[in-house]
Amino acid sequence: MNARPGAAAPDPAAAGLANASLAPCLIVNPLSFRASCGLAEQACLLARARGAQIVAIDRPAALTAAVETILARRQREVMVLAGDGTVRAVVDQLAALPAGSWIPDLLVLPGGRTNLIANDLTPGAGALDLLRRALDAAAAQRWDPCLAERFTLCIEQA
């Protein structure tokens, strides 16, 4: 799922979303390529200034725990600033949930080297501009998720 910042959204209460009043959450992998070149710091400053929760992850266990916390809180608006590997890990964790489970709305921001996933979902979008628009939309209660279904290919070798 990828959010379109700035469009009108349905009423969260009407949609039955618990904890819709929680601040948006930014998951940052500061070790991802672009993020490690100063983007993570800039994104965190912007998110903090706009009242978003920031979760910096530096290892797989921290990411798993962060996603579990988001699920437990039913935190609706989640942005991920990371590379394809981190994004894939988040999506894999959510995809492994039982059918019908609640999942948050994800906005994928380019923070890695190739950013194939982010570029597919939001072509040509700059991470900070997209983050700024998303935070503005969340503050105005105009966070508008749209379903973006993708089939992924994972190639692993020893």
Side-chain angles (χ1 to χ4, degrees):
M1 181 142 332
N2 214 36
R4 287 183 311 211
D11 177 25
L17 295 173
N19 295 329
S21 63
L22 286 175
C25 179
L26 174 64
I27 298 174
V28 179
N29 182 349
L31 304 177
S32 294
F33 181 75
R34 284 192 188 152
S36 69
C37 298
L39 181 59
E41 291 85 3
Q42 291 177 305
C44 288
L45 286 172
L46 175 61
R48 191 172 292 113
R50 306 279 175 105
Q53 176 192 6
I54 301 163
V55 179
I57 53 100
D58 59 357
R59 60 193 189 290
L63 180 59
T64 300
V67 172
E68 287 174 0
T69 299
I70 287 165
L71 290 170
R73 290 182 182 171
R74 288 189 166 230
Q75 201 155 8
R76 180 176 165 228
E77 300 150 337
V78 179
M79 299 153 289
V80 181
L81 176 65
D84 291 332
T86 302
V87 171
R88 179 175 165 242
V90 170
V91 171
D92 283 351
Q93 186 173 349
L94 295 175
L97 295 171
S101 294
W102 180 88
I103 59 168
D105 298 334
L106 295 178
L107 176 62
V108 178
L109 304 168
R113 184 180 302 272
T114 59
N115 299 304
L116 296 175
I117 298 170
N119 288 332
D120 179 43
L121 294 170
T122 52
L128 291 177
D129 181 54
L130 195 53
L131 175 61
R132 186 176 296 107
R133 291 186 348 212
L135 292 168
D136 288 346
Q141 297 181 347
R142 294 177 50 93
W143 182 276
D144 184 23
C146 64
L147 184 62
E149 185 175 324
R150 300 295 189 268
F151 297 98
T152 59
L153 171 67
C154 177
I155 301 172
E156 295 179 3
Q157 61 188 56

